[in-house]
């Protein structure tokens, strides 16, 4: 193929709706959402979530969507996701010094809303992308979708030597479930963690930024029931087994070691870690299994604290935080986890 330029992340853009503190969300809505028998447990889960503040396009302090039918939630998704996605994409294109018309491939990741025409078509229209721009929608991959999305963008850039654009847009606030009399710890955990955000990334052939060296994955299908995201008549419902950290502990070290070995690198040479914070225990397991120093996952914990778990957008928020550091790392490793049970990893190297 001759001197083919490697895919490089040349610009990121983020957008988030207004936020509220975890304490405000608890006292103003969720304390009254759970029945008396489970309220004390729910309060402990909220307090120990690692989240101080979250963002919500549909704020439960202002309107209660918990009994809305799925159709109404999907219509609202389009209303809220479109301006949020437009803001993130605009900032990413500006950061990369490109116009919307330069984009050869537009990839949208979202598991929190569906419609046709979707965000990909509506944003391509509103932003002025070229009629021949190719599009791809990645849905229901959940929290790890950003990394296969990045992989597809990188593959397109390598094959076509044209820019690609990735957008992760998630509105988890639309999926608050109806109150239930029975104890449902999985629902309490998801209500305590999830948040809204949109993050866009521009990937170009060569140049300055972070070269996408490889995207890799491993899926343990024997634990497919450990993480679920079911479409119900009242929105999408999260299933989250407490055994997820155990599954990660079995696979994460091998996945990371194999990826680094293929590039002649070692763990100690990774200066930045963008690890999806599915919750505090997830980060603790990754830190332990990879024998990382305490500060290694600081960006992941800070993102969880300030923004909660924004599904596919979260690992991109952490990457953005790492790149905005006073001295960004030369080598960054991204990790994200989701249904399957699936682990995804990506290796990035700075290109001056």
């Amino acid at each position: 193929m001759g001197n083919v330029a490697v895919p490089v992340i040349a610009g990121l853009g983020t957008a988030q709706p207004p936020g509220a503190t975890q304490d405000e969300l608890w006292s103003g809505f969720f304390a009254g959402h759970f029945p008396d028998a489970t309220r004390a447990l729910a309060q402990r889960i909220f307090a120990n979530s690692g989240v101080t503040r979250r963002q919500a396009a549909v704020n439960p302090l202002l309107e209660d969507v918990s009994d809305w039918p799925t159709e109404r939630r999907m219509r609202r998704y389009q209303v809220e996701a479109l301006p949020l996605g437009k803001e993130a994409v605009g900032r990413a294109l500006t950061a990369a010094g490109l116009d919307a018309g330069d984009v050869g491939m537009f990839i949208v990741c979202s598991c929190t809303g569906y419609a046709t025409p979707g965000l990909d078509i509506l944003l391509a229209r509103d932003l002025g992308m070229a009629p021949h721009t190719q599009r791809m929608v990645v849905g229901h991959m959940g929290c790890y979708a950003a990394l296969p999305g990045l992989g597809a963008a990188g593959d397109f850039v390598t094959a076509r030597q044209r820019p690609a654009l990735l957008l992760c847009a998630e509105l988890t606030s639309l999926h608050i479930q109806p109150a239930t009399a029975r104890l449902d710890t999985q629902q309490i955990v998801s209500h305590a963690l999830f948040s809204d955000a949109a993050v866009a990334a521009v990937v170009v052939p060569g140049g300055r930024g972070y070269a996408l060296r490889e995207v890799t994955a491993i899926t343990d299908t024997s634990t497919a029931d450990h993480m679920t995201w079911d479409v119900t008549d009242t929105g999408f419902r999260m299933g989250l087994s407490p055994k997820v950290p155990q599954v990660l502990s079995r696979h994460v070290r091998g996945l990371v070691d194999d990826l680094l070995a293929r590039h002649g690198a070692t763990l100690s040479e990774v200066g930045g870690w963008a690890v999806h914070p599915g919750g505090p225990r997830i980060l603790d397991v990754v830190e332990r299994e990879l024998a990382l120093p305490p500060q290694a996952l600081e960006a992941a914990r800070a993102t969880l604290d300030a923004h909660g778990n924004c599904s596919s957008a979260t690992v991109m928020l952490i990457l953005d935080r790492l790149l905005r550091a006073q001295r960004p790392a030369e080598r960054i490793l991204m990790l994200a986890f989701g249904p399957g049970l699936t682990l995804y990893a990506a290796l990035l190297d700075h290109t001056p």
Side-chain angles (χ1 to χ4, degrees):
M1 293 178 67
N3 296 321
V4 174
V6 299
V8 171
I9 298 174
L12 289 177
T14 70
Q16 290 160 310
T21 68
Q22 186 80 316
D23 289 344
E24 289 169 340
L25 290 166
W26 172 257
S27 61
F29 179 78
F30 287 105
H33 187 73
F34 300 109
D36 293 344
T38 62
R39 190 171 297 124
L41 172 63
Q43 188 169 14
R44 286 199 301 275
I45 290 172
F46 269 66
N48 295 321
S49 62
V51 179
T52 300
R53 187 173 182 83
R54 290 188 277 164
Q55 291 71 42
V58 184
N59 190 331
L61 299 176
L62 303 177
E63 56 183 318
D64 182 359
V65 305
S66 60
D67 288 315
W68 281 17
T70 301
E71 179 185 2
R72 189 174 176 188
R73 298 180 197 234
M74 293 301 93
R75 292 186 186 280
R76 185 64 176 272
Y77 171 85
Q78 288 284 66
V79 170
E80 301 291 346
L82 197 60
L84 204 64
K86 190 181 297 185
E87 188 179 346
V89 166
R91 288 174 175 168
L93 288 169
T94 298
L98 294 181
D99 295 321
D102 299 323
V103 175
M105 166 71 90
F106 182 31
I107 301 167
V108 176
C109 298
S110 186
C111 67
T112 50
Y114 293 101
T116 303
L119 286 184
D120 59 319
I121 295 173
L122 298 179
L123 285 171
R125 176 198 69 191
D126 292 353
L127 291 164
M129 293 185 191
H132 55 258
T133 301
Q134 297 182 39
R135 292 172 288 100
M136 178 186 298
V137 175
V138 179
H140 253 61
M141 276 187 148
C143 294
Y144 67 84
L147 296 190
L150 267 182
D155 289 346
F156 175 87
V157 170
T158 299
R160 307 295 176 85
Q161 293 293 286
R162 295 190 60 211
L165 173 65
L166 169 69
L167 170 66
C168 297
E170 303 288 9
L171 300 184
T172 67
S173 63
L174 277 169
H175 298 288
I176 292 175
Q177 291 295 294
T180 174
R182 64 184 178 86
L183 175 61
D184 189 340
T185 306
Q186 295 183 41
Q187 268 321 107
I188 296 171
V189 169
S190 64
H191 282 160
L193 285 173
F194 283 95
S195 185
D196 297 356
V199 184
V202 175
V203 184
V204 300
R208 295 184 61 184
Y210 277 80
L212 182 62
R213 297 299 180 195
E214 185 182 345
V215 176
T216 186
I218 185 168
T219 300
D220 185 343
T221 54
S222 70
T223 61
D225 61 340
H226 283 18
M227 199 178 291
T228 57
W229 188 228
D230 297 319
V231 178
T232 75
D233 291 339
T234 50
F236 303 166
R237 186 178 181 85
M238 185 81 192
L240 197 60
S241 168
K243 297 177 182 177
V244 168
Q246 296 171 234
V247 181
L248 294 184
S249 70
R250 289 203 296 269
H251 299 291
V252 68
R253 183 62 187 252
L255 178 71
V256 169
D257 282 347
D258 290 350
L259 171 61
L260 291 172
R262 287 194 292 273
H263 296 270
T266 62
L267 273 167
S268 62
E269 293 173 329
V270 177
W273 291 90
V275 179
H276 174 72
R281 286 180 60 208
I282 298 295
L283 295 178
D284 292 344
V285 163
V286 172
E287 183 177 270
R288 184 188 73 224
E289 294 300 326
L290 300 181
L292 297 176
Q295 70 275 15
L297 299 186
E298 186 177 332
R301 289 195 169 93
T303 300
L304 178 64
D305 177 76
H307 305 296
N309 180 342
C310 307
S311 192
S312 70
T314 322
V315 73
M316 301 302 291
L317 284 174
I318 300 167
L319 178 63
D320 179 64
R321 185 179 286 264
L322 288 171
L323 299 191
R324 286 188 290 105
Q326 194 167 3
R327 294 185 62 188
E330 291 294 312
R331 175 166 286 162
I332 293 173
L333 201 146
M334 303 176 72
L335 283 167
F337 325 104
L341 192 79
T342 305
L343 294 76
Y344 254 87
L347 184 62
L348 309 178
D349 283 328
H350 182 248
T351 60

